[in-house]
Amino acid sequence: MSTFDFDAVIIGAGAAGLFCAAQAGQRGLSVLLIDHAPKLAEKIRISGGGRCNFTNRDLDVRAPHKHFLGRNPQFCRSALSRFTPADFIALMERHGIAHHEKHKGQLFADRSAEDIIAMLQTECAAGQVTLWQPCRVESVEFSVKTPSSADVSSAGSYQIQSDKGLIRSRSLVIATGGLSIPKIGATDLGYRLAQQFGLPLVERSPGLVPLTFDGAAWQAYAGLAGLALPVEISTGSKKSRMAFLEDLLFTHRGLSGPAVLQISSYWQPGTPIAINLAPAVDLQAELLAAKNRSRKLIANELAQWLPARLADAWVQQDAAWQRPIAEASDKALIALAQRLSRWEITPTGTEGYKKAEVTLGGVDTQALSQQTMECKTQPGLFFIGEVVDITGWLGGYNFQWAWASAQACAQSLPKD
Ligand SMILES: Cc1cc2nc3c(=O)[nH]c(=O)nc-3n(C[C@H](O)[C@H](O)[C@H](O)COP(=O)(O)OP(=O)(O)OC[C@H]3O[C@@H](n4cnc5c(N)ncnc54)[C@H](O)[C@@H]3O)c2cc1C
């Protein structure tokens, strides 16, 4: 089989890999981009409901811990401040891709995520990037430069054995993403390569994922599947408490919607989550006031502030709530208000990687340079995007990390 030489090889042609390849290629490097999946950038295609929430205007580059998780969220500050949401928006505008803001700074393509994939392909073409897809990586080895070698510019080179031949390169960039949605190409290759080269990993788990509930207690809510409402959701206590004001969605197996996806990244198995089902009103005051003026059933009164289906299901939990509000005791109304304002339930688990949007954990940032994304102990080996232990909130933060880490790496890749 033939042998191929490139300045840089990038494994994984998703968001981070495509962007890194394009930038490095445009700097004049010969770049090979490899992906094993039959279709390009499937995760971009399915993201944001098909419109790709490609960045977020609210990102505070000086305080990444506000929107990013990981053992050291400050790690991403350098890359995020050198390639900002405004930089990606400018790129979209140069390509004439119309976009709009939906909610809390989230930016989406007007037409389709396909436009962003096409833009990244055009950028790769401008950098004369070679794309091999599908292409399977069989092994990766590193040869330390021999003392007799005339080449003093690098510490060694990578030999990547693939089903298309042997590739030699001074730099190897791992952009294989996380473990979510295995059916469109997610694998653990990035983590295995990290281990092969002695890098520490932070334990992985599904993030931005629906939570599941079962047992008798959940049966009362099982009939609410499909119902959505705005809530405040929280988990943890005191210093570790995290809360989000977002929409909640009841599903057949549990809870989903942006509120639950956000909190899932902070939820610790075995602990409860607390949900305020009517965060915009003082329910206790409203119910006690209604008692003096209304002849309606409690469920009908509640339907002013909650979806009627939820109000009906909720009052079934206690006979004291299944009567006209004028006949209810203050104690029963206060208990009802308190329970709706702090519904505490313990998930039995998550829907796992098949439904998760991201993977928490990954390559420990301690092992990487925050300026270049290169491994501190393994010259020429870089990790970018989701494979690294940096996870963003829902809302475009994960793509912004993919673009920014890719750019930081691309700017530092050496040219022969
Ligand atoms: C349903 C869904 C919706 C999402 N929506 C959004 C959103 O709107 N906004 C947002 O910011 N984030 C969103 N995300 C998260 C976002 O898609 C990821 O964080 C982002 O794609 C990570 O980029 P990446 O390049 O690191 O990894 P990926 O984009 O996952 O790319 C990794 C690439 O590596 C390839 N690969 C994996 N293993 C191998 C191997 N062994 N050999 C060769 N190639 C390999 C894969 O085929 C893939 O092409 C969403 C995720 C999902 C699942």
Side-chain angles (χ1 to χ4, degrees):
M1 252 197 193
S2 323
T3 301
F4 304 86
D5 287 293
F6 287 90
D7 291 334
V9 172
I10 301 173
I11 305 179
L18 278 164
F19 196 55
C20 185
Q23 301 301 307
Q26 289 175 28
R27 282 185 51 227
L29 276 76
S30 62
V31 178
L32 172 66
L33 179 60
I34 296 176
D35 203 295
H36 72 144
K39 280 178 86 178
L40 188 72
E42 272 295 86
K43 234 175 236 178
I44 300 180
R45 189 172 285 109
I46 63 169
S47 68
R51 292 231 164 94
C52 186
N53 178 193
F54 59 86
T55 192
N56 194 300
R57 272 194 212 281
D58 293 348
L59 192 153
D60 181 351
V61 294
R62 285 154 311 166
H65 62 279
K66 285 187 189 164
H67 298 112
F68 291 90
L69 298 87
R71 208 169 257 178
N72 176 21
Q74 292 300 329
F75 174 84
C76 54
R77 183 174 167 155
S78 168
L80 289 173
S81 55
R82 284 179 292 141
F83 189 81
T84 65
D87 292 320
F88 199 79
I89 294 165
L91 179 67
M92 296 271 290
E93 285 169 359
R94 282 201 296 282
H95 284 258
I97 302 177
H99 54 85
H100 60 279
E101 182 171 335
K102 249 195 183 164
H103 167 70
K104 298 190 175 178
Q106 301 168 3
L107 297 185
F108 290 79
D110 279 2
R111 204 192 68 86
S112 166
E114 302 275 359
D115 292 343
I116 295 176
I117 300 173
M119 173 183 87
L120 293 169
Q121 285 178 286
T122 305
E123 288 287 317
C124 281
Q128 296 180 8
V129 171
T130 304
L131 173 65
W132 287 359
Q133 183 177 32
C135 172
R136 194 165 35 100
V137 172
E138 286 159 0
S139 65
V140 174
E141 301 295 335
F142 177 71
S143 315
V144 181
K145 191 185 57 174
T146 56
S148 59
S149 165
D151 174 17
V152 289
S153 60
S154 74
S157 74
Y158 292 88
Q159 290 86 48
I160 300 124
Q161 186 64 57
S162 80
D163 60 2
K164 294 209 175 347
L166 180 69
I167 312 145
R168 286 187 307 215
S169 180
R170 176 173 162 185
S171 302
L172 175 63
V173 181
I174 310 301
T176 45
L179 296 168
S180 62
I181 326 277
K183 71 170 190 248
I184 58 167
T187 74
D188 65 353
L189 177 67
Y191 308 122
R192 282 191 279 118
L193 288 173
Q195 281 174 319
Q196 178 186 333
F197 288 101
L199 304 187
L201 292 176
V202 174
E203 198 183 332
R204 274 84 63 218
S205 61
L208 299 179
V209 63
L211 296 174
T212 54
F213 300 83
D214 50 36
W218 183 252
Q219 288 316 306
Y221 314 105
L224 295 172
L227 190 127
L229 72 160
V231 301
E232 189 201 53
I233 193 163
S234 61
T235 193
S237 60
K238 297 193 181 138
K239 265 189 155 179
S240 73
R241 182 175 185 272
M242 274 308 297
F244 294 92
L245 268 173
E246 286 283 3
D247 281 358
L248 173 83
L249 174 70
F250 284 84
T251 68
H252 289 288
R253 284 166 44 86
L255 296 173
S256 187
V260 169
L261 300 187
Q262 294 283 37
I263 212 72
S264 71
S265 296
Y266 292 89
W267 173 69
Q268 297 297 320
T271 65
I273 56 169
I275 301 174
N276 182 345
L277 290 160
V281 286
D282 179 346
L283 259 190
Q284 183 170 317
E286 294 286 356
L287 287 172
L288 291 174
K291 180 179 166 172
N292 296 323
R293 60 165 157 74
S294 168
R295 289 161 178 265
K296 286 187 196 165
L297 287 170
I298 294 176
N300 293 345
E301 275 300 329
L302 275 180
Q304 293 175 62
W305 307 293
L306 296 176
R309 259 172 80 204
L310 176 59
D312 285 339
W314 201 268
V315 298
Q316 297 309 315
Q317 298 176 50
D318 193 326
W321 300 337
Q322 295 164 35
R323 59 184 61 178
I325 195 161
E327 294 169 19
S329 67
D330 285 3
K331 192 172 157 216
L333 292 179
I334 291 168
L336 174 60
Q338 284 177 347
R339 202 140 173 226
L340 282 165
S341 310
R342 193 174 170 80
W343 178 30
E344 220 176 78
I345 35 169
T346 303
T348 40
T350 76
E351 291 278 9
Y353 289 116
K354 72 178 189 304
K355 293 269 175 75
E357 289 204 2
V358 289
T359 300
L360 298 161
V363 177
D364 194 331
T365 53
Q366 266 185 26
L368 306 175
S369 151
Q370 56 186 301
Q371 272 78 38
T372 64
M373 311 301 295
E374 187 175 12
C375 300
K376 290 175 183 167
T377 52
Q378 179 60 42
L381 182 63
F382 299 74
F383 287 82
I384 58 173
E386 199 182 313
V387 71
V388 178
D389 172 34
I390 290 290
T391 307
W393 281 15
L394 189 78
Y397 295 100
N398 286 296
F399 278 132
Q400 188 58 36
W401 167 243
W403 317 134
S405 56
Q407 168 81 1
C409 171
Q411 295 311 316
S412 72
L413 287 171
K415 204 159 87 177
D416 278 334

